[in-house]
C-alpha cells in the first residue's frame, strides 16, 4: 500500500526525520511519500496557523490520490484539513490526534495529552469533544517549547517526562498521548521511564497511531462514510 504523509507546514526541519520514522512505523509492504507545503505557516500553534495550512494541504491530498496513493495522513496533532479532505477524496484520511485519542481510550479509562504551547490546548480539547472522548480526557498539558524547537531532544524529553508525571499524579491520567507529531522517536523511552518510576501506562505516539489506523482501514477496504462526509455541492469556487 502507498500512504501519503503531508506535513502541513512550509518548514522542512522535520522532513528527513519524519521520513525515517514513518518507515519504521509501517509494515514491510507500506510505501510512504512525505512532503511539506508550498505555502502556509512555518508551524501550527494556533487556529490561525491551521487555517493557513488547509488550502495547500487539500491540493497536496488531491494530487496524492491522483498519483495512486491509498490513504492520507495529515501530519499535525491539530488534524488540519482532515474533515474537508474526507469530503473530496475517495481514499481514507486520518489525523494523528483522532488516532492517538482513540488508541488511548481503548487502553485506559482516562488519558492526558502533553503538547507544545498553551495556544493549542483549546484546539486539542475541541477535537476530543468532536470525537466523543472528552469525558476520557483527564487534562491537556504543555511543555512551553515551540514546535520548531522540539528537535532539541534532551530538553524535550525532560520537559515531557515532567508533565507526564504531573498528569498521572495530579490529573488522574492512566495513559499519555504525545500532543505533537514533532515529538519524534521519544515515546518508547518515556514509557520506559514512567515504568521505572512505578507507572505502567501506555505512551501513544500520534503519528505511529495514525499509521496503524490508516493501514488497517486500507487493508479492510473501507473509507469515510459519504453519509457523514458528503461530496461538496457543485458551485463556483475561486482559488488563489
Amino acid at each position: 500500500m502507498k500512504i501519503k504523509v503531508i506535513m502541513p507546514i512550509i518548514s522542512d526541519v522535520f522532513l528527513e526525520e519524519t521520513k525515517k520514522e514513518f518507515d519504521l512505523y509501517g509494515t514491510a509492504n507500506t510505501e510512504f511519500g512525505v512532503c511539506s507545503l508550498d505555502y502556509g505557516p512555518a508551524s501550527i500553534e494556533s487556529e490561525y496557523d491551521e487555517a493557513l495550512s488547509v488550502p495547500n494541504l487539500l491540493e497536496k491530498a488531491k494530487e496524492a490520490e491522483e498519483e495512486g496513493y491509498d490513504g492520507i495522513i495529515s501530519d499535525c496533532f491539530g488534524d488540519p484539513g482532515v474533515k474537508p479532505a474526507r469530503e473530496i477524496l475517495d481514499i481514507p484520511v486520518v489525523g494523528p490526534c483522532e488516532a492517538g485519542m482513540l488508541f488511548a481510550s481503548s487502553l485506559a479509562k482516562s488519558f492526558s495529552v502533553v503538547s507544545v504551547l498553551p495556544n493549542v490546548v483549546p484546539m486539542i480539547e475541541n477535537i476530543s469533544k468532536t470525537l466523543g472522548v472528552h469525558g476520557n480526557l483527564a487534562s491537556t498539558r504543555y511543555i512551553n517549547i515551540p514546535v520548531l524547537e522540539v528537535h532539541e531532544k534532551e530538553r524535550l524529553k525532560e520537559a515531557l517526562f515532567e508533565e507526564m508525571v504531573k498528569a498521572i499524579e495530579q490529573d488522574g491520567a492512566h495513559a499519555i498521548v504525545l500532543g505533537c507529531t514533532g515529538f519524534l522517536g521519544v515515546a518508547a523511552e518515556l514509557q520506559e521511564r514512567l515504568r521505572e518510576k512505578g507507572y505502567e501506562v501506555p505512551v501513544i505516539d500520534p503519528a505511529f497511531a495514525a499509521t496503524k489506523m490508516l493501514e488497517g482501514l486500507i487493508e479492510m477496504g473501507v473509507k469515510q462514510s459519504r453519509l457523514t462526509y458528503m461530496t461538496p455541492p457543485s458551485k463556483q469556487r475561486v482559488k488563489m
Side-chain angles (χ1 to χ4, degrees):
M1 68 183 74
K2 293 176 61 179
I3 291 175
K4 188 71 171 188
V5 179
I6 304 173
M7 300 168 53
I9 57 175
I10 57 172
S11 173
D12 61 0
V13 66
F14 301 110
L15 193 59
E16 289 306 314
E17 189 177 5
T18 297
K19 289 178 179 177
K20 292 177 183 177
E21 285 294 317
F22 274 94
D23 283 337
L24 295 174
Y25 298 154
T27 56
N29 69 332
T30 302
E31 175 187 336
F32 293 95
V34 182
C35 72
S36 53
L37 299 184
D38 299 325
Y39 60 92
S43 62
I44 296 180
E45 295 164 332
S46 66
E47 295 280 5
Y48 179 59
D49 291 331
E50 182 172 315
L52 291 176
S53 76
V54 172
N56 194 219
L57 182 143
L58 294 177
E59 293 167 356
K60 297 283 187 183
K62 191 64 177 174
E63 289 172 5
E65 182 181 43
E66 292 168 354
E67 292 167 359
Y69 281 89
D70 301 299
I72 304 289
I73 293 174
S74 173
D75 191 36
C76 169
F77 198 74
D79 293 355
V82 167
K83 288 180 172 57
R86 287 172 177 166
E87 292 184 346
I88 64 171
L89 300 185
D90 284 317
I91 55 176
V93 182
V94 170
C97 184
E98 283 192 358
M101 287 183 176
L102 288 173
F103 271 76
S105 295
S106 71
L107 297 172
K109 79 175 188 67
S110 61
F111 66 89
S112 286
V113 174
V114 183
S115 194
V116 283
L117 299 174
N119 309 55
V120 303
V121 171
M123 300 167 65
I124 292 168
E125 293 182 346
N126 285 338
I127 293 173
S128 75
K129 293 173 183 176
T130 302
L131 192 58
V133 298
H134 188 65
N136 301 345
L137 181 62
S139 62
T140 305
R141 289 183 166 270
Y142 56 91
I143 57 175
N144 231 12
I145 297 176
V147 170
L148 297 180
E149 295 180 16
V150 301
H151 60 279
E152 300 173 14
K153 293 296 186 185
E154 293 308 314
R155 175 188 176 200
L156 171 65
K157 288 186 286 188
E158 289 307 312
L160 284 172
F161 186 72
E162 180 179 341
E163 293 304 319
M164 287 177 175
V165 171
K166 290 178 183 177
I168 293 167
E169 294 181 346
Q170 299 177 21
D171 308 331
H174 289 193
I176 303 293
V177 180
L178 298 180
C180 176
T181 55
F183 295 165
L184 295 162
V186 301
E189 179 181 336
L190 291 169
Q191 181 173 278
E192 178 60 19
R193 286 184 64 182
L194 288 175
R195 190 192 65 78
E196 291 171 355
K197 192 173 175 63
Y199 300 121
E200 194 165 348
V201 302
V203 176
I204 306 297
D205 179 318
F208 204 159
T211 301
K212 304 322 283 186
M213 178 176 286
L214 184 53
E215 285 181 329
L217 295 175
I218 294 168
E219 289 177 350
M220 292 169 66
V222 296
K223 62 177 178 63
Q224 52 273 7
S225 169
R226 279 286 166 255
L227 296 181
T228 302
Y229 298 100
M230 299 183 184
T231 302
S234 178
K235 68 180 74 174
Q236 182 183 17
R237 293 178 173 90
V238 179
K239 298 181 180 180
M240 294 294 291

